[in-house]
Amino acid sequence: MQYIRIEHLRLDNDYTQEYVAYYLGIQREVYRRYEKGTRTIPVEHVVRLADLYNTTTDYILGRTNSPAPLTKKLPKLRR
């Protein structure tokens, strides 16, 4: 599912595969395979993509359907 989301995010932001690949520091062909689902996306690239698109890794990974970044603050832990 993540490959579908990264393609839609890229197109919604009018980015080329070349641009996103450059941003990630990889070859375009590698990124193309991420979008087609024929190559697993490393965690560090999922994080970078979330930063690029101002969304959450959970959205990219299909854990939520909301692309909006989290605004809720986590509670402080008590010791």
Side-chain angles (χ1 to χ4, degrees):
M1 163 108 47
Q2 61 195 20
Y3 60 91
I4 295 170
R5 295 224 166 137
I6 63 168
E7 181 178 17
H8 287 254
L9 286 166
R10 180 179 61 78
L11 294 172
D12 288 347
N13 285 277
D14 295 323
Y15 293 150
T16 63
Q17 286 183 340
E18 290 83 5
Y19 175 79
V20 178
Y22 176 80
Y23 175 80
L24 295 174
I26 59 175
Q27 294 178 352
R28 188 198 64 82
E29 180 61 22
V30 172
Y31 180 77
R32 186 190 69 78
R33 291 178 183 169
Y34 292 169
E35 284 193 3
K36 297 304 173 197
T38 59
R39 185 168 180 150
T40 303
I41 305 172
V43 172
E44 60 270 12
H45 289 174
V46 174
V47 171
R48 296 258 337 212
L49 289 169
D51 290 344
L52 176 65
Y53 298 124
N54 192 32
T55 190
T56 63
T57 55
D58 282 351
Y59 177 73
I60 291 174
L61 296 172
R63 295 186 64 206
T64 182
N65 289 325
S66 174
L70 294 177
T71 56
K72 177 181 169 184
K73 291 186 178 182
L74 295 175
K76 290 185 179 181
L77 295 176
R78 293 183 181 184
R79 291 183 178 215

